[in-house]
């Protein structure tokens, strides 16, 4: 391969790095989505009328 030697250790390191990168990306994406959902929920709560707020509070109070 033109002087390029891919050893078993190199493949193992590459595989571990790939798995770690995938795991880290999923974790960071989950946090970003959670923050976005919380922001949207806060915006939705700020825009609801008093009647809607009281109905929601009654629904949530039953749980």
């Amino acid at each position: 391969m033109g002087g390029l030697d891919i050893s078993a250790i190199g493949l193992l390191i590459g595989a571990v790095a790939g798995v770690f990168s995938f795991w880290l990306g999923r974790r960071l994406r989950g946090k970003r989505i959670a923050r976005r959902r919380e922001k949207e929920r806060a915006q939705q709560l700020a825009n609801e009328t008093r009647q809607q707020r009281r109905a929601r509070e009654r629904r949530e109070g039953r749980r």
Side-chain angles (χ1 to χ4, degrees):
M1 276 181 72
L4 183 64
D5 184 26
I6 300 178
S7 66
I9 294 173
L11 288 174
L12 180 64
I13 291 172
V16 169
V19 169
F20 177 72
S21 176
F22 176 77
W23 173 79
L24 184 62
R26 293 284 296 223
R27 187 170 172 93
L28 293 175
R29 182 175 181 265
K31 286 182 181 181
R32 187 175 67 237
I33 289 174
R35 280 195 310 264
R36 186 185 317 142
R37 282 185 185 150
E38 184 60 34
K39 188 176 180 180
E40 288 173 355
R41 178 164 166 74
Q43 186 179 10
Q44 184 181 26
L45 293 179
N47 289 336
E48 67 186 9
T49 65
R50 181 171 49 187
Q51 182 180 8
Q52 290 170 330
R53 187 183 73 241
R54 288 182 178 172
R56 177 184 46 79
E57 288 170 353
R58 281 194 303 270
R59 282 192 314 268
E60 290 175 353
R62 277 191 264 153
R63 294 180 186 172

